[in-house]
mmCIF file with all atom_site columns, all heavy atoms in Angstrom:
data_model
loop_
_atom_site.group_PDB
_atom_site.id
_atom_site.type_symbol
_atom_site.label_atom_id
_atom_site.label_alt_id
_atom_site.label_comp_id
_atom_site.label_asym_id
_atom_site.label_entity_id
_atom_site.label_seq_id
_atom_site.pdbx_PDB_ins_code
_atom_site.Cartn_x
_atom_site.Cartn_y
_atom_site.Cartn_z
_atom_site.occupancy
_atom_site.B_iso_or_equiv
_atom_site.pdbx_formal_charge
_atom_site.auth_seq_id
_atom_site.auth_comp_id
_atom_site.auth_asym_id
_atom_site.auth_atom_id
_atom_site.pdbx_PDB_model_num
ATOM 1   N N   . LYS Y 1 79  ? 34.151 175.911 -5.158  1.00 85.00 ? 205 LYS Y N   1
ATOM 2   C CA  . LYS Y 1 79  ? 33.273 175.698 -3.996  1.00 85.00 ? 205 LYS Y CA  1
ATOM 3   C C   . LYS Y 1 79  ? 32.482 176.948 -3.621  1.00 85.00 ? 205 LYS Y C   1
ATOM 4   O O   . LYS Y 1 79  ? 32.117 177.143 -2.468  1.00 85.00 ? 205 LYS Y O   1
ATOM 5   C CB  . LYS Y 1 79  ? 34.076 175.214 -2.786  1.00 85.00 ? 205 LYS Y CB  1
ATOM 6   C CG  . LYS Y 1 79  ? 34.866 173.941 -3.065  1.00 85.00 ? 205 LYS Y CG  1
ATOM 7   C CD  . LYS Y 1 79  ? 35.307 173.299 -1.755  1.00 85.00 ? 205 LYS Y CD  1
ATOM 8   C CE  . LYS Y 1 79  ? 36.056 172.011 -2.017  1.00 85.00 ? 205 LYS Y CE  1
ATOM 9   N NZ  . LYS Y 1 79  ? 37.389 172.245 -2.595  1.00 85.00 ? 205 LYS Y NZ  1
ATOM 10  N N   . TYR Y 1 101 ? 33.382 194.952 1.783   1.00 70.00 ? 227 TYR Y N   1
ATOM 11  C CA  . TYR Y 1 101 ? 33.385 194.370 0.445   1.00 70.00 ? 227 TYR Y CA  1
ATOM 12  C C   . TYR Y 1 101 ? 32.165 193.489 0.250   1.00 70.00 ? 227 TYR Y C   1
ATOM 13  O O   . TYR Y 1 101 ? 32.119 192.350 0.691   1.00 70.00 ? 227 TYR Y O   1
ATOM 14  C CB  . TYR Y 1 101 ? 34.622 193.494 0.297   1.00 70.00 ? 227 TYR Y CB  1
ATOM 15  C CG  . TYR Y 1 101 ? 35.536 193.934 -0.829  1.00 70.00 ? 227 TYR Y CG  1
ATOM 16  C CD1 . TYR Y 1 101 ? 36.548 194.851 -0.592  1.00 70.00 ? 227 TYR Y CD1 1
ATOM 17  C CD2 . TYR Y 1 101 ? 35.390 193.420 -2.101  1.00 70.00 ? 227 TYR Y CD2 1
ATOM 18  C CE1 . TYR Y 1 101 ? 37.407 195.250 -1.604  1.00 70.00 ? 227 TYR Y CE1 1
ATOM 19  C CE2 . TYR Y 1 101 ? 36.237 193.813 -3.126  1.00 70.00 ? 227 TYR Y CE2 1
ATOM 20  C CZ  . TYR Y 1 101 ? 37.241 194.729 -2.873  1.00 70.00 ? 227 TYR Y CZ  1
ATOM 21  O OH  . TYR Y 1 101 ? 38.086 195.106 -3.868  1.00 70.00 ? 227 TYR Y OH  1
ATOM 22  N N   . PHE Y 1 104 ? 31.584 189.507 -1.220  1.00 55.00 ? 230 PHE Y N   1
ATOM 23  C CA  . PHE Y 1 104 ? 31.445 188.317 -0.396  1.00 55.00 ? 230 PHE Y CA  1
ATOM 24  C C   . PHE Y 1 104 ? 30.060 187.697 -0.469  1.00 55.00 ? 230 PHE Y C   1
ATOM 25  O O   . PHE Y 1 104 ? 29.883 186.512 -0.683  1.00 55.00 ? 230 PHE Y O   1
ATOM 26  C CB  . PHE Y 1 104 ? 31.602 188.681 1.080   1.00 55.00 ? 230 PHE Y CB  1
ATOM 27  C CG  . PHE Y 1 104 ? 33.014 188.715 1.511   1.00 55.00 ? 230 PHE Y CG  1
ATOM 28  C CD1 . PHE Y 1 104 ? 33.550 189.845 2.094   1.00 55.00 ? 230 PHE Y CD1 1
ATOM 29  C CD2 . PHE Y 1 104 ? 33.813 187.607 1.369   1.00 55.00 ? 230 PHE Y CD2 1
ATOM 30  C CE1 . PHE Y 1 104 ? 34.858 189.868 2.509   1.00 55.00 ? 230 PHE Y CE1 1
ATOM 31  C CE2 . PHE Y 1 104 ? 35.124 187.624 1.786   1.00 55.00 ? 230 PHE Y CE2 1
ATOM 32  C CZ  . PHE Y 1 104 ? 35.646 188.757 2.362   1.00 55.00 ? 230 PHE Y CZ  1
ATOM 33  N N   . ASP Y 1 107 ? 28.781 185.532 -3.311  1.00 64.00 ? 233 ASP Y N   1
ATOM 34  C CA  . ASP Y 1 107 ? 29.374 184.222 -3.526  1.00 64.00 ? 233 ASP Y CA  1
ATOM 35  C C   . ASP Y 1 107 ? 29.252 183.285 -2.326  1.00 64.00 ? 233 ASP Y C   1
ATOM 36  O O   . ASP Y 1 107 ? 29.992 182.314 -2.216  1.00 64.00 ? 233 ASP Y O   1
ATOM 37  C CB  . ASP Y 1 107 ? 30.825 184.369 -3.937  1.00 64.00 ? 233 ASP Y CB  1
ATOM 38  C CG  . ASP Y 1 107 ? 30.928 184.892 -5.359  1.00 64.00 ? 233 ASP Y CG  1
ATOM 39  O OD1 . ASP Y 1 107 ? 30.266 184.319 -6.236  1.00 64.00 ? 233 ASP Y OD1 1
ATOM 40  O OD2 . ASP Y 1 107 ? 31.643 185.864 -5.556  1.00 64.00 ? 233 ASP Y OD2 1
ATOM 41  N N   . PHE Y 1 176 ? 47.055 189.456 5.037   1.00 89.00 ? 302 PHE Y N   1
ATOM 42  C CA  . PHE Y 1 176 ? 47.371 190.768 4.481   1.00 89.00 ? 302 PHE Y CA  1
ATOM 43  C C   . PHE Y 1 176 ? 48.568 191.407 5.162   1.00 89.00 ? 302 PHE Y C   1
ATOM 44  O O   . PHE Y 1 176 ? 48.967 192.516 4.796   1.00 89.00 ? 302 PHE Y O   1
ATOM 45  C CB  . PHE Y 1 176 ? 46.161 191.710 4.599   1.00 89.00 ? 302 PHE Y CB  1
ATOM 46  C CG  . PHE Y 1 176 ? 45.109 191.456 3.566   1.00 89.00 ? 302 PHE Y CG  1
ATOM 47  C CD1 . PHE Y 1 176 ? 44.117 190.515 3.785   1.00 89.00 ? 302 PHE Y CD1 1
ATOM 48  C CD2 . PHE Y 1 176 ? 45.123 192.132 2.366   1.00 89.00 ? 302 PHE Y CD2 1
ATOM 49  C CE1 . PHE Y 1 176 ? 43.149 190.260 2.828   1.00 89.00 ? 302 PHE Y CE1 1
ATOM 50  C CE2 . PHE Y 1 176 ? 44.162 191.889 1.404   1.00 89.00 ? 302 PHE Y CE2 1
ATOM 51  C CZ  . PHE Y 1 176 ? 43.173 190.949 1.628   1.00 89.00 ? 302 PHE Y CZ  1
ATOM 52  N N   . ASP Y 1 193 ? 49.640 190.581 -0.362  1.00 70.00 ? 319 ASP Y N   1
ATOM 53  C CA  . ASP Y 1 193 ? 50.397 191.788 -0.081  1.00 70.00 ? 319 ASP Y CA  1
ATOM 54  C C   . ASP Y 1 193 ? 50.305 192.715 -1.282  1.00 70.00 ? 319 ASP Y C   1
ATOM 55  O O   . ASP Y 1 193 ? 50.826 192.415 -2.346  1.00 70.00 ? 319 ASP Y O   1
ATOM 56  C CB  . ASP Y 1 193 ? 51.846 191.393 0.179   1.00 70.00 ? 319 ASP Y CB  1
ATOM 57  C CG  . ASP Y 1 193 ? 52.705 192.596 0.497   1.00 70.00 ? 319 ASP Y CG  1
ATOM 58  O OD1 . ASP Y 1 193 ? 52.177 193.722 0.489   1.00 70.00 ? 319 ASP Y OD1 1
ATOM 59  O OD2 . ASP Y 1 193 ? 53.899 192.405 0.730   1.00 70.00 ? 319 ASP Y OD2 1
ATOM 60  N N   . LEU Y 1 198 ? 52.195 196.387 -6.538  1.00 81.00 ? 324 LEU Y N   1
ATOM 61  C CA  . LEU Y 1 198 ? 52.719 197.706 -6.859  1.00 81.00 ? 324 LEU Y CA  1
ATOM 62  C C   . LEU Y 1 198 ? 54.145 197.600 -7.398  1.00 81.00 ? 324 LEU Y C   1
ATOM 63  O O   . LEU Y 1 198 ? 54.526 198.266 -8.351  1.00 81.00 ? 324 LEU Y O   1
ATOM 64  C CB  . LEU Y 1 198 ? 52.692 198.549 -5.583  1.00 81.00 ? 324 LEU Y CB  1
ATOM 65  C CG  . LEU Y 1 198 ? 52.595 200.045 -5.717  1.00 81.00 ? 324 LEU Y CG  1
ATOM 66  C CD1 . LEU Y 1 198 ? 51.431 200.467 -6.591  1.00 81.00 ? 324 LEU Y CD1 1
ATOM 67  C CD2 . LEU Y 1 198 ? 52.453 200.659 -4.337  1.00 81.00 ? 324 LEU Y CD2 1
ATOM 68  N N   . TYR Y 1 203 ? 57.843 197.759 -12.752 1.00 83.00 ? 329 TYR Y N   1
ATOM 69  C CA  . TYR Y 1 203 ? 58.639 197.173 -13.835 1.00 83.00 ? 329 TYR Y CA  1
ATOM 70  C C   . TYR Y 1 203 ? 58.202 197.723 -15.195 1.00 83.00 ? 329 TYR Y C   1
ATOM 71  O O   . TYR Y 1 203 ? 59.018 197.883 -16.096 1.00 83.00 ? 329 TYR Y O   1
ATOM 72  C CB  . TYR Y 1 203 ? 58.488 195.654 -13.818 1.00 83.00 ? 329 TYR Y CB  1
ATOM 73  C CG  . TYR Y 1 203 ? 59.133 194.974 -15.003 1.00 83.00 ? 329 TYR Y CG  1
ATOM 74  C CD1 . TYR Y 1 203 ? 60.506 194.768 -15.051 1.00 83.00 ? 329 TYR Y CD1 1
ATOM 75  C CD2 . TYR Y 1 203 ? 58.372 194.549 -16.090 1.00 83.00 ? 329 TYR Y CD2 1
ATOM 76  C CE1 . TYR Y 1 203 ? 61.107 194.160 -16.139 1.00 83.00 ? 329 TYR Y CE1 1
ATOM 77  C CE2 . TYR Y 1 203 ? 58.963 193.932 -17.184 1.00 83.00 ? 329 TYR Y CE2 1
ATOM 78  C CZ  . TYR Y 1 203 ? 60.330 193.743 -17.198 1.00 83.00 ? 329 TYR Y CZ  1
ATOM 79  O OH  . TYR Y 1 203 ? 60.913 193.137 -18.273 1.00 83.00 ? 329 TYR Y OH  1
ATOM 80  N N   . ASN Y 1 207 ? 60.990 203.418 -19.260 1.00 57.00 ? 333 ASN Y N   1
ATOM 81  C CA  . ASN Y 1 207 ? 62.338 203.834 -18.864 1.00 57.00 ? 333 ASN Y CA  1
ATOM 82  C C   . ASN Y 1 207 ? 62.699 205.217 -19.385 1.00 57.00 ? 333 ASN Y C   1
ATOM 83  O O   . ASN Y 1 207 ? 63.500 205.913 -18.787 1.00 57.00 ? 333 ASN Y O   1
ATOM 84  C CB  . ASN Y 1 207 ? 63.370 202.832 -19.364 1.00 57.00 ? 333 ASN Y CB  1
ATOM 85  C CG  . ASN Y 1 207 ? 63.341 201.574 -18.517 1.00 57.00 ? 333 ASN Y CG  1
ATOM 86  O OD1 . ASN Y 1 207 ? 63.497 201.647 -17.313 1.00 57.00 ? 333 ASN Y OD1 1
ATOM 87  N ND2 . ASN Y 1 207 ? 63.099 200.438 -19.127 1.00 57.00 ? 333 ASN Y ND2 1
ATOM 88  N N   . ARG H 1 19  ? 60.708 189.874 -1.181  1.00 85.00 ? 234 ARG H N   1
ATOM 89  C CA  . ARG H 1 19  ? 60.238 189.959 0.203   1.00 85.00 ? 234 ARG H CA  1
ATOM 90  C C   . ARG H 1 19  ? 60.942 188.934 1.093   1.00 85.00 ? 234 ARG H C   1
ATOM 91  O O   . ARG H 1 19  ? 61.389 189.231 2.192   1.00 85.00 ? 234 ARG H O   1
ATOM 92  C CB  . ARG H 1 19  ? 58.715 189.757 0.244   1.00 85.00 ? 234 ARG H CB  1
ATOM 93  C CG  . ARG H 1 19  ? 58.132 189.963 1.621   1.00 85.00 ? 234 ARG H CG  1
ATOM 94  C CD  . ARG H 1 19  ? 56.621 189.951 1.557   1.00 85.00 ? 234 ARG H CD  1
ATOM 95  N NE  . ARG H 1 19  ? 56.145 188.778 0.830   1.00 85.00 ? 234 ARG H NE  1
ATOM 96  C CZ  . ARG H 1 19  ? 54.904 188.619 0.405   1.00 85.00 ? 234 ARG H CZ  1
ATOM 97  N NH1 . ARG H 1 19  ? 54.012 189.548 0.627   1.00 85.00 ? 234 ARG H NH1 1
ATOM 98  N NH2 . ARG H 1 19  ? 54.541 187.529 -0.224  1.00 85.00 ? 234 ARG H NH2 1
ATOM 99  N N   . LYS H 1 79  ? 62.890 198.419 -10.795 1.00 85.00 ? 294 LYS H N   1
ATOM 100 C CA  . LYS H 1 79  ? 63.050 199.875 -10.689 1.00 85.00 ? 294 LYS H CA  1
ATOM 101 C C   . LYS H 1 79  ? 62.809 200.388 -9.268  1.00 85.00 ? 294 LYS H C   1
ATOM 102 O O   . LYS H 1 79  ? 62.397 201.528 -9.065  1.00 85.00 ? 294 LYS H O   1
ATOM 103 C CB  . LYS H 1 79  ? 62.131 200.611 -11.665 1.00 85.00 ? 294 LYS H CB  1
ATOM 104 C CG  . LYS H 1 79  ? 62.317 200.188 -13.111 1.00 85.00 ? 294 LYS H CG  1
ATOM 105 C CD  . LYS H 1 79  ? 61.664 201.186 -14.048 1.00 85.00 ? 294 LYS H CD  1
ATOM 106 C CE  . LYS H 1 79  ? 61.882 200.827 -15.487 1.00 85.00 ? 294 LYS H CE  1
ATOM 107 N NZ  . LYS H 1 79  ? 61.141 199.608 -15.879 1.00 85.00 ? 294 LYS H NZ  1
ATOM 108 N N   . TYR H 1 101 ? 50.596 201.831 4.932   1.00 70.00 ? 316 TYR H N   1
ATOM 109 C CA  . TYR H 1 101 ? 51.548 200.758 4.619   1.00 70.00 ? 316 TYR H CA  1
ATOM 110 C C   . TYR H 1 101 ? 52.964 201.328 4.517   1.00 70.00 ? 316 TYR H C   1
ATOM 111 O O   . TYR H 1 101 ? 53.328 201.933 3.510   1.00 70.00 ? 316 TYR H O   1
ATOM 112 C CB  . TYR H 1 101 ? 51.190 200.150 3.264   1.00 70.00 ? 316 TYR H CB  1
ATOM 113 C CG  . TYR H 1 101 ? 50.863 198.684 3.334   1.00 70.00 ? 316 TYR H CG  1
ATOM 114 C CD1 . TYR H 1 101 ? 49.575 198.254 3.579   1.00 70.00 ? 316 TYR H CD1 1
ATOM 115 C CD2 . TYR H 1 101 ? 51.857 197.738 3.130   1.00 70.00 ? 316 TYR H CD2 1
ATOM 116 C CE1 . TYR H 1 101 ? 49.264 196.914 3.630   1.00 70.00 ? 316 TYR H CE1 1
ATOM 117 C CE2 . TYR H 1 101 ? 51.556 196.382 3.170   1.00 70.00 ? 316 TYR H CE2 1
ATOM 118 C CZ  . TYR H 1 101 ? 50.260 195.989 3.422   1.00 70.00 ? 316 TYR H CZ  1
ATOM 119 O OH  . TYR H 1 101 ? 49.955 194.653 3.464   1.00 70.00 ? 316 TYR H OH  1
ATOM 120 N N   . PHE H 1 104 ? 56.023 200.933 1.583   1.00 55.00 ? 319 PHE H N   1
ATOM 121 C CA  . PHE H 1 104 ? 56.312 201.885 0.529   1.00 55.00 ? 319 PHE H CA  1
ATOM 122 C C   . PHE H 1 104 ? 57.648 202.584 0.725   1.00 55.00 ? 319 PHE H C   1
ATOM 123 O O   . PHE H 1 104 ? 58.458 202.691 -0.176  1.00 55.00 ? 319 PHE H O   1
ATOM 124 C CB  . PHE H 1 104 ? 55.268 203.010 0.551   1.00 55.00 ? 319 PHE H CB  1
ATOM 125 C CG  . PHE H 1 104 ? 54.047 202.671 -0.205  1.00 55.00 ? 319 PHE H CG  1
ATOM 126 C CD1 . PHE H 1 104 ? 52.814 202.717 0.413   1.00 55.00 ? 319 PHE H CD1 1
ATOM 127 C CD2 . PHE H 1 104 ? 54.114 202.323 -1.528  1.00 55.00 ? 319 PHE H CD2 1
ATOM 128 C CE1 . PHE H 1 104 ? 51.670 202.420 -0.282  1.00 55.00 ? 319 PHE H CE1 1
ATOM 129 C CE2 . PHE H 1 104 ? 52.966 202.036 -2.230  1.00 55.00 ? 319 PHE H CE2 1
ATOM 130 C CZ  . PHE H 1 104 ? 51.749 202.074 -1.605  1.00 55.00 ? 319 PHE H CZ  1
ATOM 131 N N   . ASP H 1 107 ? 61.040 201.159 -0.108  1.00 64.00 ? 322 ASP H N   1
ATOM 132 C CA  . ASP H 1 107 ? 61.385 200.875 -1.490  1.00 64.00 ? 322 ASP H CA  1
ATOM 133 C C   . ASP H 1 107 ? 61.346 202.105 -2.387  1.00 64.00 ? 322 ASP H C   1
ATOM 134 O O   . ASP H 1 107 ? 61.264 201.984 -3.600  1.00 64.00 ? 322 ASP H O   1
ATOM 135 C CB  . ASP H 1 107 ? 60.468 199.790 -2.039  1.00 64.00 ? 322 ASP H CB  1
ATOM 136 C CG  . ASP H 1 107 ? 60.821 198.447 -1.449  1.00 64.00 ? 322 ASP H CG  1
ATOM 137 O OD1 . ASP H 1 107 ? 62.004 198.087 -1.480  1.00 64.00 ? 322 ASP H OD1 1
ATOM 138 O OD2 . ASP H 1 107 ? 59.920 197.780 -0.945  1.00 64.00 ? 322 ASP H OD2 1
ATOM 139 N N   . PHE H 1 176 ? 41.928 198.710 -7.057  1.00 89.00 ? 391 PHE H N   1
ATOM 140 C CA  . PHE H 1 176 ? 41.328 197.871 -6.010  1.00 89.00 ? 391 PHE H CA  1
ATOM 141 C C   . PHE H 1 176 ? 39.817 197.762 -6.155  1.00 89.00 ? 391 PHE H C   1
ATOM 142 O O   . PHE H 1 176 ? 39.178 197.086 -5.367  1.00 89.00 ? 391 PHE H O   1
ATOM 143 C CB  . PHE H 1 176 ? 41.668 198.429 -4.623  1.00 89.00 ? 391 PHE H CB  1
ATOM 144 C CG  . PHE H 1 176 ? 43.056 198.107 -4.176  1.00 89.00 ? 391 PHE H CG  1
ATOM 145 C CD1 . PHE H 1 176 ? 44.113 198.925 -4.487  1.00 89.00 ? 391 PHE H CD1 1
ATOM 146 C CD2 . PHE H 1 176 ? 43.304 196.955 -3.447  1.00 89.00 ? 391 PHE H CD2 1
ATOM 147 C CE1 . PHE H 1 176 ? 45.405 198.622 -4.090  1.00 89.00 ? 391 PHE H CE1 1
ATOM 148 C CE2 . PHE H 1 176 ? 44.581 196.634 -3.037  1.00 89.00 ? 391 PHE H CE2 1
ATOM 149 C CZ  . PHE H 1 176 ? 45.637 197.470 -3.363  1.00 89.00 ? 391 PHE H CZ  1
ATOM 150 N N   . LEU H 1 198 ? 40.629 185.163 -2.155  1.00 81.00 ? 413 LEU H N   1
ATOM 151 C CA  . LEU H 1 198 ? 39.771 184.434 -1.237  1.00 81.00 ? 413 LEU H CA  1
ATOM 152 C C   . LEU H 1 198 ? 39.078 183.278 -1.968  1.00 81.00 ? 413 LEU H C   1
ATOM 153 O O   . LEU H 1 198 ? 38.953 182.170 -1.446  1.00 81.00 ? 413 LEU H O   1
ATOM 154 C CB  . LEU H 1 198 ? 38.739 185.414 -0.671  1.00 81.00 ? 413 LEU H CB  1
ATOM 155 C CG  . LEU H 1 198 ? 38.136 185.104 0.658   1.00 81.00 ? 413 LEU H CG  1
ATOM 156 C CD1 . LEU H 1 198 ? 39.186 184.887 1.720   1.00 81.00 ? 413 LEU H CD1 1
ATOM 157 C CD2 . LEU H 1 198 ? 37.238 186.260 1.091   1.00 81.00 ? 413 LEU H CD2 1
ATOM 158 N N   . GLN H 1 199 ? 38.652 183.544 -3.197  1.00 81.00 ? 414 GLN H N   1
ATOM 159 C CA  . GLN H 1 199 ? 37.962 182.506 -3.949  1.00 81.00 ? 414 GLN H CA  1
ATOM 160 C C   . GLN H 1 199 ? 38.911 181.363 -4.301  1.00 81.00 ? 414 GLN H C   1
ATOM 161 O O   . GLN H 1 199 ? 38.526 180.200 -4.271  1.00 81.00 ? 414 GLN H O   1
ATOM 162 C CB  . GLN H 1 199 ? 37.348 183.098 -5.220  1.00 81.00 ? 414 GLN H CB  1
ATOM 163 C CG  . GLN H 1 199 ? 36.153 183.985 -4.908  1.00 81.00 ? 414 GLN H CG  1
ATOM 164 C CD  . GLN H 1 199 ? 35.591 184.689 -6.126  1.00 81.00 ? 414 GLN H CD  1
ATOM 165 O OE1 . GLN H 1 199 ? 36.225 184.727 -7.174  1.00 81.00 ? 414 GLN H OE1 1
ATOM 166 N NE2 . GLN H 1 199 ? 34.412 185.250 -5.988  1.00 81.00 ? 414 GLN H NE2 1
ATOM 167 N N   . TYR H 1 203 ? 39.058 176.842 -2.953  1.00 83.00 ? 418 TYR H N   1
ATOM 168 C CA  . TYR H 1 203 ? 39.325 175.605 -3.701  1.00 83.00 ? 418 TYR H CA  1
ATOM 169 C C   . TYR H 1 203 ? 40.048 174.578 -2.837  1.00 83.00 ? 418 TYR H C   1
ATOM 170 O O   . TYR H 1 203 ? 39.840 173.379 -2.989  1.00 83.00 ? 418 TYR H O   1
ATOM 171 C CB  . TYR H 1 203 ? 40.174 175.926 -4.934  1.00 83.00 ? 418 TYR H CB  1
ATOM 172 C CG  . TYR H 1 203 ? 40.638 174.709 -5.689  1.00 83.00 ? 418 TYR H CG  1
ATOM 173 C CD1 . TYR H 1 203 ? 39.786 174.031 -6.560  1.00 83.00 ? 418 TYR H CD1 1
ATOM 174 C CD2 . TYR H 1 203 ? 41.925 174.221 -5.519  1.00 83.00 ? 418 TYR H CD2 1
ATOM 175 C CE1 . TYR H 1 203 ? 40.211 172.909 -7.243  1.00 83.00 ? 418 TYR H CE1 1
ATOM 176 C CE2 . TYR H 1 203 ? 42.362 173.097 -6.201  1.00 83.00 ? 418 TYR H CE2 1
ATOM 177 C CZ  . TYR H 1 203 ? 41.503 172.444 -7.066  1.00 83.00 ? 418 TYR H CZ  1
ATOM 178 O OH  . TYR H 1 203 ? 41.920 171.328 -7.734  1.00 83.00 ? 418 TYR H OH  1
ATOM 179 N N   . ASN H 1 207 ? 37.335 168.834 1.201   1.00 56.00 ? 422 ASN H N   1
ATOM 180 C CA  . ASN H 1 207 ? 35.977 168.428 0.837   1.00 56.00 ? 422 ASN H CA  1
ATOM 181 C C   . ASN H 1 207 ? 35.305 167.577 1.906   1.00 56.00 ? 422 ASN H C   1
ATOM 182 O O   . ASN H 1 207 ? 34.099 167.567 2.025   1.00 56.00 ? 422 ASN H O   1
ATOM 183 C CB  . ASN H 1 207 ? 35.993 167.636 -0.470  1.00 56.00 ? 422 ASN H CB  1
ATOM 184 C CG  . ASN H 1 207 ? 36.181 168.562 -1.658  1.00 56.00 ? 422 ASN H CG  1
ATOM 185 O OD1 . ASN H 1 207 ? 35.397 169.470 -1.847  1.00 56.00 ? 422 ASN H OD1 1
ATOM 186 N ND2 . ASN H 1 207 ? 37.231 168.340 -2.423  1.00 56.00 ? 422 ASN H ND2 1
#
Side-chain angles (χ1 to χ4, degrees):
Chain Y
K205 303 196 178 71
Y227 240 90
F230 275 124
D233 288 310
F302 282 87
D319 181 359
L324 206 53
Y329 173 79
N333 285 304
Chain H
R234 186 172 50 193
K294 304 195 177 69
Y316 240 89
F319 275 124
D322 287 310
F391 282 88
L413 205 54
Q414 288 175 346
Y418 173 79
N422 284 303

